[in-house]
Amino acid sequence: MTGVTTSELLAVVAARELRDDTTVFAGVGVPLLAAALAKQRHAPRLTLVIEGGIIGPEIAPGRLPISTNEMRAGRRATMLPGITDAFLFAQRGFVDTGFMGGAQIDRYGNVNTSVIGADYWAPKVRLPGTGGANDIASLCREVIIVTPHERRRFVERVDFVTSPGWLRGDGSRHQAGLRFGGVSRVVTTLGILGFDPESRRMRIEAVHPGVSVATIREHTGFELPEAPRVETTEPPSAEELERLRALDPERRFLG
């Protein structure tokens, strides 16, 4: 898609996944951009939750926060509780959707943001860790992962399960005590991936314009089946891009 950056594509497609009259736990950057765009366009009653303990803020165009704890993130917020209370709301079932990224993701939607390498104590790369990501993956009613689509990210098995998806599939998430939630979608720079409702294995559900199923498979480190019907996503419209770019005119997150 000419003239559209990968970050813009991710933000627009992810925004379309959000629904009105729901609550989304969104981190700063592309997830917050997507949530703010959805609230502007088609979900005016979408409630944003930010990890620093901010409920229901209004994100001002051109004033996008760069941290979950700065005052711009709390503009006209409904509530400013403590950070632990924000996660308590999720634990009590009040947060519908969690937005996440990650360094690695496997066929069952498990996410690694801790270490790259087989030895946790002597890894090749030590990553930032969980922050609130484990809580989001465990406690939100559904999780949407937003990530670039690269073979090094989509691996057969993550080196460390920071945030649980469907674990080993076939009911293993429920058996582990996580009685609700799970990853519903993976929005990438190549398409949209979902999960088989029985096995919980990742599958191709949509491709972006100009992208083939073969290209998605080429950039994935494990076997990736197709859903019964593979759709083609609508490219970002001029209006979506205009609103999105107004939110981040300095392009700190849009690239």
Side-chain angles (χ1 to χ4, degrees), residues 115-124 159-160:
V115 294
I116 301 296
D119 187 346
Y120 177 85
W121 301 108
K124 295 178 181 178
D159 293 335
F160 187 90

Side-chain angles (χ1 to χ4, degrees), residues 13 26 35 44 55 86 92 100-101 137 142 144 151 207 240:
V13 177
I55 313 295
R92 294 173 68 185
M100 291 181 58
E142 69 169 331
I144 298 174
R151 194 176 185 88
V207 296
E240 285 174 317

Side-chain angles (χ1 to χ4, degrees), residues 23-38:
T23 306
V24 58
F25 209 128
V28 296
V30 170
L32 188 57
L33 277 167
L37 178 63

Side-chain angles (χ1 to χ4, degrees), residues 15-206:
R16 294 171 182 169
E17 295 288 324
L18 296 175
R19 302 175 301 277
D20 209 4
D21 295 307
T22 62
T23 306
V24 58
F25 209 128
V28 296
V30 170
L32 188 57
L33 277 167
L37 178 63
K39 189 173 177 67
Q40 281 191 11
R41 294 196 69 252
H42 64 271
R45 293 180 299 278
L46 177 70
T47 299
L48 278 59
V49 179
I50 299 178
E51 184 176 332
I54 299 167
I55 313 295
E58 294 183 9
I59 304 301
R63 300 286 293 169
L64 197 73
I66 59 174
S67 165
T68 60
N69 295 300
E70 68 165 286
M71 289 310 299
R72 281 183 293 185
R75 177 178 180 266
R76 296 182 179 176
T78 303
M79 297 175 63
L80 293 172
I83 184 172
T84 53
D85 289 321
F87 289 106
L88 178 61
F89 292 142
Q91 187 179 38
R92 294 173 68 185
F94 294 150
V95 182
D96 297 296
T97 305
F99 264 155
M100 291 181 58
Q104 288 182 329
I105 178 172
D106 65 23
R107 68 173 73 239
Y108 295 112
N110 302 304
V111 173
N112 173 22
T113 54
S114 296
V115 294
I116 301 296
D119 187 346
Y120 177 85
W121 301 108
K124 295 178 181 178
V125 179
R126 188 166 294 282
L127 300 168
T130 177
N134 181 284
D135 302 78
I136 293 169
S138 301
L139 302 174
C140 292
R141 293 183 178 276
E142 69 169 331
V143 171
I144 298 174
I145 298 171
V146 183
T147 180
H149 203 131
E150 302 169 334
R151 194 176 185 88
R152 63 175 181 167
R153 292 179 183 269
F154 286 78
V155 295
E156 181 74 31
R157 182 176 180 178
V158 294
D159 293 335
F160 187 90
V161 179
T162 310
S163 306
W166 298 108
L167 294 179
R168 301 176 306 280
D170 297 323
S172 56
R173 180 182 172 93
H174 188 272
Q175 294 163 13
L178 300 173
R179 302 303 175 91
F180 60 91
V183 183
S184 61
R185 292 284 189 277
V186 183
V187 177
T188 84
T189 47
L190 298 179
I192 299 175
L193 310 174
F195 294 85
D196 180 87
E198 299 297 327
S199 69
R200 297 301 187 184
R201 291 182 63 170
M202 192 182 296
R203 65 186 187 182
I204 303 169
E205 297 197 344

